C-alpha cells in the first residue's frame, strides 16, 4: 500500500514490512499470495527457463533492466532489502517474492525507476526499468514470412522501428504490413532496398501500311446537227458530257483535270453525227513504314517522361469572345513508372504514343487552317523480368471498298453497257505492333558511352572549299571503348548507339 514517509519526503509503494524478530514477512492481499504461488511454480520449473527472466542487481551500482509490456521478469538483489518503491506504477508494477527477489511486471511503454532500501533505510541501488512493446512474436513471424532478409527490429516508446536491407520493394512492404498488425500507425521504416533499382525501358513502334486502288471509267458523247444545221443535238455521260462541242475529228479533248493515271479519247463521225468516247484507268499501290524506338531510364517507383517532337498551336475560344492558344504535343511520347518488386521482376505502368500532323484531315475556319493529327497510343500495366519483352499492343486493319456507277438502263446493256459504267476498287491494310523490353541497369563510366556526334568532326576551310568535304576525321586521335568503335564506322556500314 502507498505510504508517506515523512523523513524521506516522497511517496513510496511499500511492498513488504520490516522484518521482525520472528523473521516472518507481512504479505499483502490476494495478489501477494498469487505471486508467491507463481514463484513456487517457477522454482519447480527447469533451471534454463528461470534463468532467462532473472536479473541480478548489486549494491552501490546502477542497473538497467528491460521488460516487455504485459510480461514479467524476476530481479534478484545481492543484498537483502527492507523496502521497495517504484517511481511510476503506471509503467511497471512490482511485488516482493522474498527479501532478495522482486517480481516486475511491465504495464505500459516507458522508463521508470525502481528503488531498493535496506533495514536502516540506506539506499541499496536504483534500477532503471525500461518497458517496451513485446516484439518477440513479431520477430518470429517476420523470420517465418521473410527468411533470409536482414531486417533489424527495435522498439521506440510504444512503436516498432525496422531497419536493415531487404532484397526488393515487395518484401519491404510485406514487413511493414506485418509490423502494422503489432503496432498500428506506430511503425517507423528505416529499411533500404538492395540490388539494382534503375530500369531502362526500350519501346519499339513498328507500323506497315499497304494500299491498292484500281478504277476504270468510261464516258460517251454524241453530238451533231441535222436538217442543214438548223437543229443540233449534243449529249453524253461522265466527262464526255462536259466536253463541249466536238470540234475535232476525235470528238473533243482530254480532261484538263484528271485524277486517274491514264486516259484515252477517241471519236468518229457518222455523217453529221459525231461520237466520242473517253476511257480513264487507274491502278496505284503504296507502302508506308513507320518506326520509332524511344529509350528511357528511371529509378524504381519514379515517373519518367519522354517527348521527341514538338507542340502544335491550336486556337481556343474563351468566354467574352477572346481567343487563346493551346499547344498540343506531337511526336514520340513515353511516360512510365517502373517498380522492381522482387529480384529481377519489374512492374511497369506505361503510356506510349506516336503522333504526327495530318494536314489532309484539317479544316479551315475564317481563313485559319488547323491541321489534324494521326496518333497511335497505348496505356497498360505489365510485369516482366529483366531482359524480357512484351508485345503490349497490336493492330491489324483491313479496309475494303468498291463502287459501281452507271447510266440507268443503258449500263445494263450487254457489251455496250460497259461504255455507260464506271467501277472503282480500293483496299487498305495496316499492321501495327508495339514491343517493350525492360532492363535493370547500373551507371557506368562516361567514356564508355557513345554519342551520335563522336565520329563527325567539323571540316576545316581547306577541306570544305578546296576538297568539298563536309566532315573530317579525328586527325589520327584514337578514341577507346564503345565511342571509338562507333567513331571508326562510316555511313556505308551500320551505325547508331552501342550499349553494353
Amino acid at each position: 500500500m502507498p505510504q508517506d514517509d515523512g523523513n524521506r519526503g516522497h511517496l513510496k509503494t511499500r511492498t513488504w514490512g520490516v522484518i521482525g524478530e520472528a523473521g516472518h514477512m507481512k504479505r499483502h492481499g490476494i495478489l501477494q499470495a498469487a505471486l508467491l504461488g507463481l514463484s513456487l511454480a517457477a522454482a519447480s520449473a527447469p533451471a534454463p527457463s528461470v534463468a532467462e527472466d532473472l536479473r541480478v542487481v548489486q549494491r552501490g551500482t546502477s542497473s538497467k533492466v528491460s521488460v516487455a509490456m504485459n510480461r514479467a521478469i524476476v530481479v534478484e538483489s545481492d543484498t537483502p532489502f527492507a523496502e521497495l518503491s517504484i517511481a511510476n506504477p503506471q509503467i511497471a508494477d512490482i511485488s516482493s517474492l522474498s527479501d532478495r527477489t522482486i517480481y516486475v511486471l511491465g504495464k505500459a511503454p516507458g522508463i521508470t525507476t525502481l528503488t531498493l532500501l535496506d533495514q536502516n533505510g540506506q539506499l541499496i541501488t536504483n534500477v532503471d526499468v525500461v518497458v517496451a512493446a513485446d516484439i518477440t512474436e513479431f520477430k518470429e513471424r517476420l523470420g517465418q514470412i521473410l527468411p533470409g532478409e536482414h531486417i533489424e527490429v527495435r522498439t521506440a516508446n510504444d512503436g516498432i522501428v525496422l531497419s536493415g536491407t531487404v532484397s526488393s520493394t515487395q518484401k519491404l512492404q510485406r514487413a511493414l504490413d506485418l509490423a502494422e498488425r503489432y503496432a498500428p500507425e506506430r511503425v517507423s521504416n528505416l529499411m533500404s532496398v538492395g540490388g539494382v533499382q534503375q530500369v531502362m525501358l526500350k519501346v519499339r513502334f513498328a507500323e506497315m501500311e499497304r494500299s491498292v486502288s484500281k478504277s476504270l471509267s468510261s464516258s460517251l458523247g454524241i453530238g451533231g446537227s441535222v436538217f442543214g444545221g438548223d437543229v443540233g443535238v449534243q449529249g453524253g455521260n461522265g466527262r464526255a458530257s462536259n466536253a463541249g462541242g466536238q470540234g475535232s475529228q476525235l470528238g473533243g479533248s482530254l480532261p484538263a483535270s484528271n485524277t486517274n493515271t491514264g486516259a484515252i479519247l477517241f471519236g468518229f463521225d457518222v455523217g453529221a453525227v459525231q461520237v466520242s468516247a473517253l476511257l480513264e484507268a487507274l491502278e496505284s499501290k503504296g507502302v508506308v513504314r513507320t518506326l520509332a524506338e524511344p529509350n528511357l531510364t528511371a529509378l524504381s517507383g519514379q515517373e519518367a517522361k519522354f517527348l521527341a517532337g514538338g507542340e502544335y498551336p491550336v486556337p481556343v475560344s474563351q468566354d467574352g469572345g477572346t481567343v487563346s492558344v493551346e499547344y498540343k504535343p506531337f511526336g514520340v511520347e513515353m511516360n512510365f513508372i517502373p517498380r522492381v518488386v522482387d529480384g529481377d521482376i519489374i512492374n511497369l505502368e506505361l503510356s506510349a504514343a506516336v503522333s504526327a500532323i495530318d494536314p489532309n484531315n484539317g479544316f479551315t475556319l475564317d481563313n485559319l487552317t488547323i491541321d489534324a493529327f494521326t496518333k497511335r497510343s497505348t496505356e497498360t500495366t505489365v510485369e516482366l523480368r529483366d531482359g524480357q519483352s512484351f508485345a503490349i499492343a497490336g493492330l491489324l486493319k483491313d479496309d475494303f471498298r468498291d463502287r459501281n456507277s452507271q447510266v440507268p438502263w443503258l449500263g445494263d446493256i450487254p457489251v455496250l453497257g460497259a461504255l455507260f459504267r464506271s467501277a472503282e476498287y480500293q483496299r487498305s491494310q495496316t499492321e501495327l505492333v508495339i514491343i517493350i523490353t525492360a532492363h535493370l541497369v547500373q551507371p557506368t563510366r562516361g567514356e564508355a558511352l557513345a554519342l551520335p556526334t563522336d565520329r563527325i568532326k567539323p571540316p576545316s576551310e581547306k577541306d570544305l572549299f578546296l576538297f568539298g568535304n563536309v566532315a573530317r576525321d579525328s586527325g589520327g586521335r584514337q578514341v577507346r571503348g564503345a565511342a571509338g568503335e562507333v567513331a571508326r564506322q562510316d555511313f556505308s556500314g551500320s551505325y547508331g548507339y552501342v550499349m553494353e
Side-chain angles (χ1 to χ4, degrees), residues 265-317:
L265 176 65
F266 62 93
F268 57 92
D269 296 336
V270 180
V273 179
Q274 296 178 340
V275 179
S276 64
L278 175 65
L279 298 178
E280 296 176 284
L282 166 69
E283 181 177 3
S284 62
K285 299 179 181 179
V287 176
V288 178
R289 176 179 181 266
T290 303
L291 181 64
E293 295 190 33
N295 296 346
L296 193 59
T297 303
L299 187 65
S300 176
Q302 301 298 318
E303 183 179 11
K305 297 182 179 181
F306 177 89
L307 172 63
E311 293 186 339
Y312 184 82
V314 178
V316 178
S317 177

Side-chain angles (χ1 to χ4, degrees), residues 179-197:
E180 285 289 336
R181 290 284 186 176
Y182 290 86
E185 299 182 358
R186 300 191 307 276
V187 179
S188 298
N189 178 25
L190 300 180
M191 295 182 293
S192 60
V193 180
V196 180
Q197 295 296 308

Side-chain angles (χ1 to χ4, degrees), residues 8 22 32 37 55 65 81 135 189-190 226 232 280 319 344 350 391 441 465:
R8 284 181 291 276
Q32 296 278 350
R55 307 291 189 273
V65 296
F81 54 83
I135 58 175
N189 178 25
L190 300 180
V226 294
E280 296 176 284
D319 296 338
D344 61 348
L350 172 68
V441 295
F465 295 110

Side-chain angles (χ1 to χ4, degrees), residues 157-176:
N157 199 3
D158 59 343
I160 296 177
V161 179
L162 300 179
S163 60
T165 303
V166 293
S167 58
S168 66
T169 306
Q170 187 179 30
K171 293 183 178 180
L172 182 145
Q173 188 60 45
R174 289 178 182 176
L176 293 178

Side-chain angles (χ1 to χ4, degrees), residues 4 364 454:
D4 186 11
T364 302
D454 286 342

Side-chain angles (χ1 to χ4, degrees), residues 362-500:
F363 69 95
T364 302
L365 179 64
D366 296 335
N367 297 325
L368 178 63
T369 301
I370 301 176
D371 296 327
F373 290 89
T374 59
K375 187 174 183 179
R376 289 84 169 166
S377 63
T378 180
E379 293 185 9
T380 184
T381 301
V382 296
E383 193 170 271
L384 66 168
R385 293 185 179 274
D386 177 27
Q388 291 183 336
S389 298
F390 251 128
I392 61 172
L395 172 66
L396 184 61
K397 184 179 179 182
D398 192 352
D399 293 334
F400 173 82
R401 185 183 69 176
D402 61 352
R403 184 178 62 180
N404 189 8
S405 59
Q406 66 179 22
V407 177
W409 302 298
L410 297 179
D412 296 330
I413 300 175
V415 182
L416 293 179
L419 298 176
F420 300 92
R421 289 196 301 265
S422 296
E424 182 180 353
Y425 165 85
Q426 290 182 351
R427 185 173 185 179
S428 177
Q429 294 177 322
T430 301
E431 187 174 359
L432 170 68
V433 64
I434 302 176
I435 300 175
I436 63 169
T437 305
H439 294 280
L440 294 175
V441 295
Q442 291 180 334
T444 185
R445 296 176 293 106
E447 57 270 18
L449 299 178
L451 297 177
T453 57
D454 286 342
R455 57 171 174 243
I456 303 299
K457 301 296 181 182
S460 63
E461 293 182 356
K462 181 183 68 173
D463 293 334
L464 179 62
F465 295 110
L466 186 59
F467 299 104
N469 296 329
V470 295
R472 63 183 177 90
D473 57 21
S474 59
R477 183 174 61 90
Q478 296 295 327
V479 182
R480 298 181 179 179
E485 179 65 25
V486 174
R488 287 188 291 271
Q489 297 175 3
D490 56 21
F491 286 102
S492 61
S494 60
Y495 61 95
Y497 291 101
V498 175
M499 313 192 83
E500 297 181 348

Side-chain angles (χ1 to χ4, degrees), residues 42 45-56 74:
S49 62
V50 176
E52 290 179 358
D53 295 331
L54 181 62
R55 307 291 189 273
V56 179
V74 176

